[in-house]
Amino acid sequence: MSTFYDEVQALKARYPDWLSATMPALRLAQEKHGYLSPDALRECANALGTTPAFCESVATFYDMLHLQPVGRHMVEVCTNLPCALAGAQRVVEAFEEQLGLRAGETTGDGEITFRTVECLGGCGRATVVAVDERYHEFVTPEKVPEIVGAVRGNA
Ligand code: FES
């Protein structure tokens, strides 16, 4: 069984420059640790041959990389302009009501983190909601209970 260090070396070997392996290495570290804790950043930096500060600086730029603990599932609503015009705020409020929390929080059982995010790239299909890595399009407040039920069913 290969170690995290070995897996990062394999990633680095795919690219002419180790910097290109930074994002996949951070994703790998996040998968292993659940989020990019200080330990995860140190381990990643060691495997890449750089500093934890560099890894953290990259991680802070990307929404999909988490520097704080998150739930086992991630529910994200895009609130950028096209989705906002399609009623994203009402979708956000429906999720907050269904989950009993505010955007940016995690359910008490640690299962679901809910948050708003920048454009998910599906502007023509607003409102877009990402559940883990699966996208739901044309989401309305009426569809929220079904989405939450499906997430809880998978929990
Ligand atoms: S603005 Fe929502 S997906 Fe682009």
Side-chain angles (χ1 to χ4, degrees):
M1 191 172 115
S2 65
T3 64
F4 176 81
Y5 184 89
D6 294 335
E7 289 178 72
V8 173
Q9 302 320 301
L11 287 171
K12 286 167 72 175
R14 287 189 202 166
Y15 304 102
D17 189 316
W18 70 267
L19 280 167
S20 303
T22 305
M23 282 298 291
L26 285 167
R27 291 292 296 247
L28 198 60
Q30 180 166 279
E31 277 172 30
K32 180 181 172 195
H33 293 266
Y35 76 104
L36 293 171
S37 63
D39 278 350
L41 290 170
R42 267 192 294 277
E43 189 177 10
C44 196
N46 179 51
L48 285 169
T50 185
T51 63
F54 172 77
C55 290
E56 185 175 2
S57 71
V58 173
T60 57
F61 192 76
Y62 295 96
D63 260 357
M64 74 289 273
L65 296 173
H66 311 300
L67 291 163
Q68 301 296 327
V70 291
R72 201 156 74 83
H73 298 285
M74 180 69 70
V75 176
E76 300 165 310
V77 178
C78 169
T79 54
N80 277 178
L81 190 57
C83 286
L85 292 173
Q89 187 55 38
R90 288 187 301 114
V91 174
V92 169
E93 288 162 10
F95 273 110
E96 288 177 334
E97 188 180 330
Q98 274 287 308
L99 295 169
L101 46 59
R102 303 301 305 263
E105 296 178 347
T106 299
T107 54
D109 58 7
E111 284 296 317
I112 301 171
T113 294
F114 172 66
R115 64 181 187 163
T116 59
V117 290
E118 302 298 321
C119 180
L120 289 167
C123 319
R125 297 170 172 273
T127 295
V128 179
V129 174
V131 177
D132 297 325
E133 298 195 344
R134 179 155 181 261
Y135 282 19
H136 296 255
E137 301 165 337
F138 303 113
V139 176
T140 59
E142 293 72 30
K143 292 182 179 173
V144 167
E146 183 185 329
I147 293 171
V148 171
V151 176
R152 292 240 183 253
N154 292 336

